Amino acid sequence: MNAALQAHGLGKKYGRRWALTDCDLEVPSGHVVGLVGPNGAGKSTLLNLSVGMLSPTTGSVEVLGQPAGTQQAKVGYVAQDTPTYARLSVADHLRLGAHLNPEWDDSLAQQRIQRLRLDPKQRAGKLSGGQRAQLALTLGLAKRPELLILDEPVAALDPLARREFLQDLMEAVAEQELSVVLSSHLVSDVERSCDYLVVLVDSRVQVNGEIDTLLATHHRLTGPRRTAKELPGDQYVVNESHTDRQSSFLIRTDRPILDPSWSVTQLTLEDLVLAYMGREVQSERPVLEVQR
Amino acid sequence: MIWLTWRQFRVQFLVIASVVLAAAVLYAATGPGLADDYQRFADNFIKNLAFARLNPVLYQVGLALLYAVPPIIGAFWGAPLIARELETGTHRLVWGQSISRWRWLATKVGVGGLGTIVVTGALSLAVTWWSSPIDKAINAGQESNFYLPRMFPVTFSGRGLVPIGYAVFAFALGVAIGLAVRRTLVALAVTLAVVILVQILAPTLIRPHLMAPTDQNTVATADNLRGFMISGPGPDAEIKQIEVGINAVGGWKLTDETVDKSGKVATLPKWVIDCEPNGPNERATSPKAAACFQRMADEGYSQHVRYFTADKFWALQWREFGLFLLLAFGLLGFTFWRIRRDLS
């Protein structure tokens, strides 16, 4: 099976500013991928490059095994801020989708609109932010893509609408067997909906893997003060902090932790992401692929 | 895609199209009467026109509409076509569907361009047809100080193919500017300004160069004299410029200069003031004036005149139409090139 998304040395320059530099990434298909990172990390740029909305300055990006932008019918895209035509009605939007997509699934679209209680005659400009996002998602889903890319779909929504949107997305994914890549700067969004995580900081992929595996292989160790060099070689230190008498390490390892002097705590996804985001970005690339 | 384009475009289209349709119906209804009058009054047609008060109004409204339509189409159809999508971000919605940017653009431009041609074409046809008895009468030499020959710059831009050329150009310009500046309001204003500027400047800067005008040297005489430009009143007045009539009714004179015997543009000598008849409306030639004209001829002064004759009308129309069509295609070329590049 092809990778859903594959980037090699991908870079994008706007004028003189690099929005994304030298990005390597491989995301297997069949996952709901959460792309997280601070604002300005290059998430949007990466996704826009993946759908062919932008063309790369350096490197290449492949989607479902083909260069980005060449298989429009197979890749759904819900753009940032979920734009819709303000003066067109909900029904007009569905008609638009039906006219412009060969694989359009009209019954799916109609069912969704009904279930979401959207009035087909309502103009999109009069919808709430959450409803607009739902409409944009409906367009993306009824297209019957193999891969659905969502660029910060819930960034502008209130907490309740966020929850509803993501829940709805998860249900649709379960029914349609498609891969999803969605970006967010909130870990809670990802935690709720994704099974695969990519952390992007300063256009570098910091960590990349299935969330269950990541949580199982990352631990926080607390114990008497010592330096990182004293840890076994198979324990990769993500970050460390020390007080006078105590040391605390966030490590990644796939072996059991044998040293009894450590107290080991499980991490939440948020701890994990923040640990990677808070790190100084190293000049040489850390090897961080999670083994499976 | 045609459905979507129409759905987005229909309000703007119907507003302008209904105004044009109303005008076309009005001209179609009053035109036959005018044509009858032309037959009936023959040589007195123009003199009799003023009695039907509506006719001068319709004549001028027709011209005004044909001047107004190209900038309006450029600003309200062309400029928002892409600019509004970019401004509201909806281009990212529509490009996320299974349609290439070129097909999307081609459909939008095709529908808008076709609308432009049909609407402007219908209006120009109605106005040109309605005005044709008047234009014919003027070209046949009937005198009027209200109706101008259709070859004259002001009338020329409101007849035949030229307004269609302007409108297509204006539409393409609006689309291109909208894509370049990405702001609907800015694009609209810039397009409006540029198209109006083109309408003002094209007759003097472009039109004379589209064809070789008739080039002629005539000796000024009391008979062909049209007017003098005199430096001022009083005994010291000098004649600055002489204008002569051309032997082409309904033609458009581009230049009229006095040249000396070597063919260079001349400054008129002082004694030329003698050629002036006694007062502006005095037609009878005094012996002094006759002698003066004779002296000018003897010393080799003549009038160098360049003009387009009335029968060049359609040839000139086609050339100007073709030129603006080419410009429009150039702008479209830019638009298609630009749309393929990054926009979001």
Side-chain angles (χ1 to χ4, degrees):
Chain A
M1 191 133 188
N2 281 323
L5 204 65
Q6 210 169 6
H8 298 289
L10 188 63
K12 180 68 195 174
K13 200 173 167 186
Y14 293 114
R16 283 184 178 172
R17 193 178 60 85
W18 285 91
L20 192 72
T21 40
D22 201 20
C23 174
D24 287 304
L25 173 68
E26 186 167 341
V27 176
S29 56
H31 286 286
V32 178
V33 181
L35 177 63
V36 288
N39 292 326
K43 302 189 297 289
S44 263
T45 305
L46 175 61
L47 294 186
N48 275 312
L49 287 163
S50 310
V51 290
M53 209 58 65
L54 297 174
S55 44
T57 311
T58 59
S60 67
V61 53
E62 289 189 351
V63 176
L64 303 170
Q66 299 288 320
T70 51
Q71 315 180 85
Q72 280 182 305
K74 288 189 184 172
V75 182
Y77 173 55
V78 176
Q80 195 161 16
D81 305 326
T82 56
T84 51
Y85 289 102
R87 284 168 53 195
L88 263 57
S89 69
V90 170
D92 283 336
H93 276 86
L94 297 193
R95 217 169 144 187
L96 173 166
H99 277 280
L100 299 184
N101 296 292
E103 309 280 324
W104 182 258
D105 187 338
D106 202 47
S107 63
L108 174 81
Q110 300 294 351
Q111 273 168 25
R112 278 186 55 85
I113 293 302
Q114 225 166 33
R115 191 161 50 77
L116 295 164
R117 303 228 175 84
L118 293 179
D119 176 6
K121 291 195 208 84
Q122 179 94 300
R123 285 186 173 190
K126 297 236 169 102
L127 296 176
S128 71
Q131 290 174 316
R132 232 184 41 236
Q134 295 282 18
L135 177 60
L137 176 63
T138 302
L139 276 173
L141 287 172
K143 182 183 180 180
R144 285 278 179 198
E146 285 178 29
L147 170 67
L148 182 62
I149 293 178
L150 303 104
D151 188 3
E152 301 256 14
V154 291
L157 303 187
D158 62 71
L160 188 66
R162 280 178 113 88
R163 184 183 290 264
E164 278 174 2
F165 181 92
L166 291 172
Q167 200 155 15
D168 181 56
L169 174 65
M170 287 317 102
E171 284 168 23
V173 169
E175 284 164 23
Q176 285 192 38
E177 296 179 355
L178 74 166
S179 310
V180 174
V181 177
L182 76 88
S183 70
S184 177
H185 57 267
L186 287 187
V187 182
S188 57
D189 292 341
V190 172
E191 203 162 18
R192 195 171 291 140
S193 48
C194 302
D195 60 6
Y196 196 97
L197 180 76
V198 177
V199 178
L200 195 69
V201 178
D202 269 359
S203 86
R204 308 232 169 205
V205 175
Q206 298 295 320
V207 67
N208 172 11
E210 280 182 50
I211 290 178
D212 289 344
T213 322
L214 289 176
L215 288 178
T217 53
H218 285 76
H219 310 277
R220 186 187 300 282
L221 309 181
T222 327
R225 188 182 166 109
R226 59 182 90 171
T227 63
K229 282 183 187 146
E230 296 168 50
L231 296 178
D234 61 353
Q235 298 186 347
Y236 176 86
V237 177
V238 179
N239 83 18
E240 53 191 296
S241 63
H242 305 277
T243 63
D244 284 344
R245 280 185 286 160
Q246 238 188 9
S247 286
S248 166
F249 293 97
L250 202 154
I251 57 146
R252 202 204 73 218
T253 182
D254 17 344
R255 305 260 177 81
I257 295 150
L258 303 168
D259 192 335
S261 60
W262 289 120
S263 77
V264 180
T265 24
Q266 273 299 318
L267 290 173
T268 64
L269 191 63
E270 184 144 17
D271 294 334
L272 195 152
V273 169
L274 288 178
Y276 278 103
M277 282 190 350
R279 247 165 24 136
E280 298 268 306
V281 175
Q282 279 143 15
S283 48
E284 77 239 70
R285 174 155 319 202
V287 185
L288 276 174
E289 285 296 317
V290 169
Q291 289 135 18
R292 259 165 289 135
Chain B
M1 186 61 217
I2 291 177
W3 171 81
L4 175 63
T5 306
W6 169 246
R7 181 68 189 76
Q8 292 178 274
F9 181 54
R10 66 184 184 190
V11 176
Q12 293 125 288
F13 177 81
L14 289 175
V15 168
I16 296 179
S18 53
V19 171
V20 167
L21 187 72
V25 167
L26 187 62
Y27 286 106
T30 54
L34 196 68
D36 283 350
D37 285 355
Y38 176 67
Q39 300 293 340
R40 195 142 50 94
F41 293 115
D43 287 349
N44 291 318
F45 174 59
I46 296 289
K47 273 187 211 131
N48 277 286
L49 269 181
F51 294 114
R53 281 232 183 107
L54 193 59
N55 288 329
V57 175
L58 284 177
Y59 181 84
Q60 292 213 309
V61 165
L63 273 181
L65 277 177
L66 281 174
Y67 271 91
V69 161
I72 287 178
I73 283 184
F76 291 93
W77 291 6
L81 194 80
I82 298 173
R84 182 169 295 154
E85 302 255 1
L86 296 178
E87 207 170 37
T88 54
T90 45
H91 65 294
R92 288 178 295 146
L93 173 72
V94 72
W95 294 352
Q97 312 304 314
S98 320
I99 184 167
S100 75
R101 291 187 202 183
W102 271 24
R103 221 187 101 205
W104 174 80
L105 180 61
T107 315
K108 277 174 101 71
V109 166
V111 170
L114 201 68
T116 302
I117 292 173
V118 168
V119 164
T120 324
L123 182 66
S124 182
L125 185 69
V127 171
T128 306
W129 171 78
W130 187 91
S131 313
S132 62
I134 298 175
D135 292 343
K136 257 187 277 178
I138 296 288
N139 276 358
Q142 295 190 29
E143 299 253 335
S144 165
N145 47 19
F146 181 77
Y147 304 102
L148 295 172
R150 63 177 185 175
M151 204 61 190
F152 272 35
V154 176
T155 332
F156 190 88
S157 305
R159 293 277 187 279
L161 297 163
V162 166
I164 306 173
Y166 284 179
V168 171
F169 165 75
F171 177 74
L173 184 74
V175 174
I177 290 179
L179 179 56
V181 305
R182 304 194 197 184
R183 290 276 173 278
T184 308
L185 213 59
V186 177
L188 190 148
V190 172
T191 307
L192 206 60
V194 172
V195 174
I196 290 174
L197 208 64
V198 165
Q199 285 179 316
I200 293 171
L201 295 179
T204 44
L205 294 186
I206 298 173
R207 198 171 299 154
H209 307 289
L210 293 176
M211 278 177 90
T214 310
D215 215 301
Q216 211 175 44
N217 273 305
T218 32
V219 177
T221 66
D223 294 330
N224 68 12
L225 183 72
R226 266 298 172 79
F228 291 117
M229 201 215 280
I230 298 182
S231 63
D236 295 336
E238 280 176 41
I239 290 184
K240 292 288 181 197
Q241 218 175 320
I242 300 177
E243 270 194 45
V244 294
I246 44 172
N247 195 18
V249 184
W252 173 35
K253 194 159 71 178
L254 301 172
T255 56
D256 187 346
E257 309 162 318
T258 308
V259 293
D260 59 21
K261 56 179 173 279
S262 62
K264 285 202 203 92
V265 177
T267 10
L268 291 165
K270 274 196 167 211
W271 50 261
V272 175
I273 192 72
D274 291 347
C275 298
E276 186 211 10
N278 308 317
N281 290 320
E282 194 65 51
R283 297 298 291 178
T285 318
S286 66
K288 191 173 79 171
C292 167
F293 280 117
Q294 190 57 46
R295 185 172 169 192
M296 281 187 73
D298 290 345
E299 295 196 5
Y301 288 106
S302 66
Q303 292 299 116
H304 178 218
V305 192
R306 287 162 68 245
Y307 59 95
F308 288 117
T309 51
D311 61 341
K312 298 270 171 62
F313 180 77
W314 283 109
L316 202 56
Q317 279 271 336
W318 274 108
R319 288 188 189 205
E320 191 159 337
F321 172 70
L323 174 73
F324 278 93
L325 218 56
L326 275 181
L327 288 174
F329 276 113
L331 288 164
L332 275 186
F334 162 79
T335 307
F336 273 86
W337 166 78
R338 183 66 186 82
I339 203 86
R340 283 282 284 267
R341 300 172 56 98
D342 293 347
L343 277 164
S344 57

